[in-house]
Amino acid sequence: MTALRIGKGVQILLLAALYVFLYGPIIYITYVSFQANSVWPFPPEFTAKHYISLWNEENYHSGFVNSLAIGIGTGVIASVLATMAAVAILKYRVRRSVYIAGLFLMPLFIAHILIGVSSLMFNKMLLGLPGNIFSAILANATYATAFAFLVVVAQLARYDWRLDEAAMVFGATPGTTFREVTFPLIWPAILGAFIVSFLLAFNNLEISFYNLGATPTLPTLAWGSLRHGVSEELYALAALINVAVFIFLGVMYVLLRTGVVRLDYKD
Amino acid sequence: MTDTVLKLDNISKNFGPIKAADDINIEVGQTEFFALLGPSGSGKTTMLRMIAGLEKPDTGTISISGRDVTNEPPYRRGIGMVFQDFLLFPHKTVAENIMFPLKMQGASEKDKRENLQWVSNLVHLEGLEERYPHQLSGGQKQRVALARGLVSRPSLLLLDEPLANLDRELRKEMEVEIRRFQIELAIPFVYVTHNQEEAMTMSDRMAIMRDGKMEQVGEKFSLYHDPASQFVASFLGSPNAFEGVVSSVEEGIAQINWFGHSIRARAHDGLQPGDRAVCYVKSEKISMLESGGALTGVLRDIIFKGQYADYLVSLGDGHEITVSGAPMTGLKKGAPMHLDWDPGKADAFRAQGGAQ
Ligand SMILES: Nc1ncnc2c1ncn2[C@@H]1O[C@H](COP(=O)(O)OP(=O)(O)OP(=O)(O)O)[C@@H](O)[C@H]1O
Ligand SMILES: [Mg+2]
C-alpha cells in the first residue's frame, strides 16, 4: 500500500487553513468587540465602549450569575448521577444493564424545546412548583445527565475494576475504596462530564427559557437582544467568554505539564 | 490438624452450567505452603477469590483461624493476596502501595514506616520506594505486590500465579525467595499455579484440581509417587501411557495385555480381569537393562536436557516410549534397548471411553 504523499509546504498550508477555519471567527469577534463600527470594522478604530456598555447593563450581570448557577448546579447533578450510573453498570454489572443504559441516553433524542415545555408543565401544573432557577437546573440535568453518562462510560470502560477488588482485600471498605483508588483514577472522566454538562446548561436557551420566564440568563438575553438586530455588547460578551475558556485551558495545560495533575497512569 | 488456619467445608460454586467448585474440602495448617495445581479453567482462581471474599460460594463454609467468614466481606477477612497481574495502584508510589493495608488498618505513621522498612528489606526493594509502578520492571512489580501482601503480617497469604508473567531465570529465583518468606513469616501460603515444577519446588502439600473438583490432596511426594486417579497419574511428571485389557490381578498388581506385551502395574479402581485399563509409568521410573525386560526396542533418539536425558525407544510395532535417565555417553542411536520397571511404581486405572 502506498501512503498518500503530500509535500511539506502543502501540509503547512492545510494546517494553517484548519486553524483559520477554527479560530478565524473567534479572533474576528474579539477584534470587532474593540471596534467603534461593528458592521464594517475597517479601517480599525479602537474603542472599549462595548465593554463599558456591557458592564453598565445590569441585566447581563444577573444573567451571568444565573447562567453560572444553572451551569454549576446542572454540572454537579449530571456528573454525580452519571458517575453513579456508570459505576453500577460497569463495576457491579447490574442486570439488564443495556436497557438501563438506554434509559439514561433517552433524553438525547428529545428536542430541548420539548424538554423545556414538558418539564414546565410537569413542575408547574402537576406538582404546583413555580418556574425558578432550581426547576431550570433540574430540567437541564435531564439531558445533561445523558451526555455526562456518555462521557463517563466511554472513559470508565477502560478502568480495571480489579483494582477495587485488590483494595477491598487489603482492608478498604467500599467507601474507602472509592476515595483511595477509584476516584483518584477516574476523576478526569468525572471532570470531563462536569465540563460538558456545565457548558450545555450554561449555553442552553430553550429549556432555561421555559422554566425561568422573566429571569434572565446569558443565552436568553442574547436571544432577546437579537430581535432588535445584533446589539454590540454581544461582541464583548463573546470575546470575554472566549478569554475565560482560554484561561481555563491554559491553567489545565500548565498543571498537566508540571505534573501537578495527571490524567493517565498507564505506561 | 490442630493448627488449622484455613478450612473449606463442602464449598460449591456454579457459574450457570459451569461447575467452578464442586464440593471442595481443604484444611491448611499454620506453617504450610499449600499449592493448588490444575489445568486452565479448573477453578483455581475461583477458589482463591472465594477465600478472599471476592466471590460468594453457593454452598459450604469458609473459616479462617477458627472464625466463620463465609458471609464476611473481603475487608474483614484480614488476609493478604498477590494477584496474577500484580494490580498495583498506578497512582500511588511503591511506598504508598506497600503501606496501603496498614493505612486501612489505621496504623500509626511510625508503625507504617517500620513495617515498610522491614518488608522492603525482606523482598529487596530498598531505594525504589518513591517510584511509581510504571517505572518498575516486571520483577520489581512482582516484589512490590509480594511486599503489599505481606506487610500487614496477615493470617494467610493467597497467591494467584504470581510468577506467570516472569521469565524463567527470574521465576527460579523468586520460587526460592517466596518459599523463604513463607518460612520466615510462618504463615500459610495458598499458592495457585498451573506449573507443576513450581508447585513441586515450593509446596509442602498440594491439591490437584480438575473441572472444579479436588482430584487428590496430599504431600507432594505421595501425589507424585502414588497418584489416586487417572488424571493425577497422567498430569504429574511425564508419564508413558499403555492402554489394554487386564489379563489378571494378583496381590494388587494388574497384568495388562498391551499389543501382545505384558505390562504390570498397581491396580486401581477395582480393576478385574477383562476390564480395559490404562497404565501410567513415569519416564524416570523405567530402567534400561542389559537384557530381558518387559519391552524391547531400539534407541531412536536422545534428547539431551543437561542434568538428564530423554531416551526415545522405538518398539518395532510403531510405538515409542520415553525413558529419562542420567546422560550416558556410551549409548548410540540404533542400540538395542531392554526396558523394565518395578510394577509397584506404575499405576493402572480403569480406561475412560476415548482415553489415550
Ligand atoms: N465470573 C465468571 N462468570 C462465568 N464463568 C466464570 C466466571 N469466573 C470463572 N468462570 C468459569 O469458571 C471456570 C473456572 O475458572 P477459573 O478462573 O477459576 O479457572 P483457573 O483454574 O483459575 O484457570 P487459569 O489457570 O486459566 O487461570 C472456568 O470455566 C471459567 O470460565
Ligand atoms: Mg486463574
Side-chain angles (χ1 to χ4, degrees):
Chain A
M1 213 175 81
T2 53
L4 181 64
R5 284 188 177 280
I6 43 178
K8 193 103 188 151
V10 182
Q11 283 181 16
I12 290 172
L13 259 176
L14 276 175
L15 196 65
L18 179 69
Y19 277 116
V20 168
F21 175 72
L22 285 177
Y23 288 99
I26 293 174
I27 291 166
Y28 181 72
I29 273 191
T30 313
Y31 168 73
V32 173
S33 72
F34 288 106
Q35 295 305 315
N37 180 358
S38 56
V39 180
W40 182 246
F42 306 103
E45 191 188 330
F46 287 95
T47 172
K49 69 174 184 188
H50 306 320
Y51 286 89
I52 293 167
S53 63
L54 178 70
W55 181 250
N56 287 335
E57 186 69 66
E58 283 297 327
N59 254 343
Y60 280 107
H61 293 209
S62 50
F64 176 71
V65 170
N66 289 335
S67 284
L68 209 57
I70 292 175
I72 291 174
T74 304
V76 169
I77 293 176
S79 47
V80 168
L81 285 182
T83 303
M84 296 196 321
V87 168
I89 285 173
L90 294 172
K91 178 177 179 179
Y92 295 105
R93 302 180 176 281
V94 291
R95 277 177 297 162
R96 311 199 204 294
S97 55
V98 176
Y99 301 103
I100 293 175
L103 277 179
F104 270 99
L105 296 177
M106 205 75 99
L108 290 180
F109 301 98
I110 302 172
H112 288 180
I113 197 155
L114 287 179
I115 295 181
V117 174
S118 53
S119 51
L120 171 75
M121 296 203 303
F122 184 74
N123 290 348
K124 192 160 199 168
M125 318 226 160
L126 279 179
L127 301 180
L129 297 175
N132 60 22
I133 200 154
F134 296 107
S135 69
I137 288 175
L138 289 180
N140 272 297
T142 54
Y143 78 99
T145 301
F147 274 103
F149 178 72
L150 272 186
V151 172
V152 175
V153 160
Q155 293 282 314
L156 261 56
R158 296 183 313 156
Y159 183 73
D160 189 349
W161 296 103
R162 292 177 311 162
L163 290 171
D164 289 38
E165 293 186 342
M168 298 241 280
V169 169
F170 293 120
T173 59
T176 313
T177 300
F178 188 79
R179 211 174 53 241
E180 284 280 337
V181 177
T182 326
F183 185 76
L185 290 169
I186 69 168
W187 70 264
I190 302 177
L191 178 65
F194 175 82
I195 291 173
V196 166
S197 40
F198 170 86
L199 290 177
L200 287 170
F202 186 87
N203 290 321
N204 183 273
L205 174 65
E206 299 96 325
I207 297 178
S208 303
F209 176 77
Y210 279 102
N211 283 279
L212 283 173
T215 315
T217 67
L218 288 186
T220 54
L221 285 175
W223 186 63
S225 69
L226 272 177
R227 287 185 296 190
H228 318 291
V230 181
S231 84
E232 294 172 326
E233 309 93 65
L234 285 184
Y235 291 110
L237 182 62
L240 284 178
I241 289 176
N242 284 331
V243 167
V245 170
F246 276 114
I247 289 176
F248 174 77
L249 290 179
V251 169
M252 280 306 285
Y253 180 76
V254 170
L255 288 178
L256 285 173
R257 278 311 290 256
T258 52
V260 176
V261 164
R262 295 192 57 176
L263 287 181
D264 202 346
Y265 291 91
K266 296 259 155 60
D267 31 346
Chain B
M1 218 173 285
T2 52
D3 58 350
T4 301
V5 172
L6 174 69
K7 193 159 185 293
L8 304 190
D9 283 308
N10 310 107
I11 292 292
S12 294
K13 173 84 185 172
N14 294 340
F15 291 111
I18 298 167
K19 283 194 164 143
D22 190 359
D23 195 23
I24 303 288
N25 295 281
I26 311 181
E27 280 187 46
V28 181
Q30 180 61 50
T31 55
E32 249 193 322
F33 197 118
F34 188 85
L36 268 176
L37 180 63
S40 192
S42 56
K44 307 180 296 292
T45 297
T46 305
M47 185 73 56
L48 279 201
R49 289 174 57 82
M50 286 192 291
I51 298 170
L54 296 171
E55 209 83 68
K56 218 176 136 40
D58 296 339
T59 63
T61 56
I62 300 174
S63 51
I64 296 173
S65 307
R67 189 167 64 100
D68 182 350
V69 297
T70 316
N71 294 311
E72 295 278 358
Y75 46 90
R76 283 204 213 102
R77 296 195 179 196
I79 59 184
M81 189 158 178
V82 180
F83 298 88
Q84 180 167 352
D85 305 318
F86 313 137
L87 297 183
L88 302 178
F89 303 126
H91 59 299
K92 292 183 184 288
T93 62
V94 166
E96 288 167 345
N97 262 287
I98 296 176
M99 290 187 297
F100 185 82
L102 300 171
K103 186 175 177 185
M104 293 303 106
Q105 292 174 353
S108 71
E109 215 42 53
K110 180 166 157 290
D111 253 18
K112 285 196 278 190
R113 284 287 149 197
E114 277 174 12
N115 279 298
L116 174 66
Q117 187 91 44
W118 161 74
V119 84
S120 316
N121 283 332
L122 183 72
V123 305
H124 305 307
L125 274 172
E126 303 93 336
L128 298 177
E129 285 90 345
E130 295 316 312
R131 295 221 197 150
Y132 282 90
H134 72 267
Q135 298 166 316
L136 300 176
S137 72
Q140 289 167 335
K141 281 184 197 162
Q142 176 58 61
R143 286 163 196 278
V144 176
L146 267 167
R148 185 178 60 174
L150 293 172
V151 71
S152 62
R153 301 176 196 242
S155 51
L156 171 69
L157 186 71
L158 309 176
L159 304 99
D160 192 358
E161 311 214 23
L163 305 183
N165 292 330
L166 303 184
D167 60 44
R168 195 185 133 84
E169 195 85 347
L170 201 50
R171 211 162 60 217
K172 291 276 162 222
E173 190 186 319
M174 290 302 294
E175 281 175 10
V176 179
E177 296 263 290
I178 289 178
R179 180 68 215 214
R180 181 169 68 81
F181 305 150
Q182 191 264 332
I183 291 169
E184 179 152 345
L185 270 83
I187 59 169
F189 279 24
V190 177
Y191 189 101
V192 159
T193 177
H194 59 238
N195 180 329
Q196 53 173 295
E197 255 181 76
E198 223 170 87
M200 294 280 180
T201 310
M202 290 190 276
S203 70
D204 299 309
R205 282 196 312 144
M206 48 193 226
I208 310 283
M209 285 198 73
R210 177 209 196 184
D211 296 338
K213 275 199 262 302
M214 286 292 162
E215 283 278 326
Q216 195 175 353
V217 185
E219 300 272 332
K220 58 183 171 187
F221 297 107
S222 66
L223 256 68
Y224 189 84
H225 295 298
D226 300 314
S229 74
Q230 187 202 333
F231 178 75
V232 176
S234 66
F235 188 69
L236 293 179
S238 39
N240 295 284
F242 308 92
E243 186 171 339
V245 176
V246 178
S247 48
S248 71
V249 180
E250 267 171 45
E251 289 173 19
I253 301 293
Q255 187 119 10
I256 297 162
N257 181 352
W258 179 69
F259 295 100
H261 305 286
S262 179
I263 302 276
R264 298 198 313 144
R266 287 182 290 189
H268 295 264
D269 300 340
L271 284 175
Q272 296 296 326
D275 289 343
R276 271 199 87 71
V278 57
C279 163
Y280 294 94
V281 193
K282 301 225 178 343
S283 61
E284 78 282 6
K285 295 186 179 180
I286 301 178
S287 33
M288 297 179 277
L289 310 174
E290 293 292 322
S291 58
L295 300 170
T296 54
V298 294
L299 184 60
R300 188 178 70 71
D301 207 353
I302 306 174
I303 299 168
F304 180 57
K305 300 247 176 137
Q307 290 127 311
Y308 69 99
D310 280 342
Y311 300 90
L312 307 185
V313 179
S314 286
L315 295 187
D317 53 5
H319 290 99
E320 191 163 273
I321 291 175
T322 305
V323 184
S324 306
M328 287 177 284
T329 44
L331 276 175
K332 291 268 176 313
K333 286 182 199 176
M337 302 290 283
H338 302 272
L339 307 178
D340 210 344
W341 57 84
D342 176 354
K345 290 181 177 172
D347 296 277
F349 301 88
R350 188 176 301 280
Q352 327 248 296
Q356 19 186 308

